[in-house]
């Protein structure tokens, strides 16, 4: 069974599997993305909201200060070496409120053996989708001293 690490600036980093992701409320996303090589792709994904999974791990920001949340990033890696980066503000309900998923099912098939898949339903191209997720890192952007 495929697992991934949830780590970074979190109070409760964890190792999660698709089966564990099913413990969160499941959401459905019917998506169409246009691949340059294969043309339009239509899929139905089901899974947990990435923001819920990260929130459950205790993100290390000051929840009372909105601007503090806006400096955090997520980096997601897949078994094939593909990486994607998202801003926490894209997912946060007070900002972009994007329903980004850690999918547990693809077109009605369980992903237990293949591993969770990052799904960004708002993307017109599937370049930020990550199959067989191995790492989800959550951390703050720090500016260089000038």
């Amino acid at each position: 069974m495929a697992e991934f690490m949830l780590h970074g600036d979190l109070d409760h980093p964890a190792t999660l599997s698709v089966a564990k992701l099913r413990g969160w409320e499941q959401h459905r996303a019917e998506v169409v993305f246009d691949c340059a090589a294969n043309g339009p792709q239509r899929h139905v994904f089901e899974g947990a909201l990435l923001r819920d999974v990260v929130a459950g791990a205790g993100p290390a920001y000051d929840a009372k200060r909105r601007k503090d949340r806006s400096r955090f990033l997520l980096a997601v890696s897949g078994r094939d070496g593909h990486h994607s980066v998202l801003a926490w503000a894209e997912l946060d309900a007070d900002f972009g409120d994007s329903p980004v998923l850690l999918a547990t099912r693809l077109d009605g098939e369980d992903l237990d053996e293949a591993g969770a898949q990052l799904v960004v339903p708002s993307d017109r191209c599937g370049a930020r989708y990550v199959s067989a997720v191995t790492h989800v890192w959550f951390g703050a952007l720090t500016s260089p001293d000038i």
Side-chain angles (χ1 to χ4, degrees):
M1 179 169 302
E3 295 181 325
F4 67 92
M5 291 177 49
L6 176 61
H7 57 105
D9 295 334
L10 301 166
D11 292 336
H12 311 287
T15 299
L16 299 171
S17 64
V18 170
K20 287 182 183 176
L21 286 175
R22 287 195 188 96
W24 278 271
E25 180 181 351
Q26 299 293 286
H27 297 264
R28 181 181 170 99
E30 295 182 25
V31 301
V32 178
F33 53 87
D34 198 2
C35 296
N38 300 330
Q41 303 288 311
R42 299 181 191 292
H43 295 289
V44 176
F45 292 94
E46 298 169 59
L49 292 175
L50 177 56
R51 71 171 164 248
D52 290 347
V53 175
V54 171
Y61 55 69
D62 183 348
K64 296 175 187 171
R65 295 178 48 222
R66 279 192 196 149
K67 286 187 179 182
D68 192 44
R69 289 182 273 163
S70 68
R71 66 188 178 95
F72 283 81
L73 303 171
L74 295 130
V76 181
S77 302
R79 192 176 306 128
D80 64 357
H82 184 66
H83 307 284
S84 286
V85 176
L86 299 120
W88 177 250
E90 289 180 73
L91 284 63
D92 190 298
D94 285 341
F95 295 96
D97 199 22
S98 182
V100 174
L101 297 179
L102 284 171
T104 60
R105 293 176 60 86
L106 166 59
D107 296 332
E109 299 292 324
D110 290 337
L111 294 173
D112 293 85
E113 295 303 318
Q117 183 165 342
L118 177 71
V119 177
V120 186
S122 60
D123 284 4
R124 288 188 349 207
C125 136
R128 289 198 299 174
Y129 286 47
V130 176
S131 298
V133 171
T134 57
H135 293 271
V136 174
W137 174 85
F138 177 83
L141 174 67
T142 56
S143 17
D145 293 330
I146 298 176

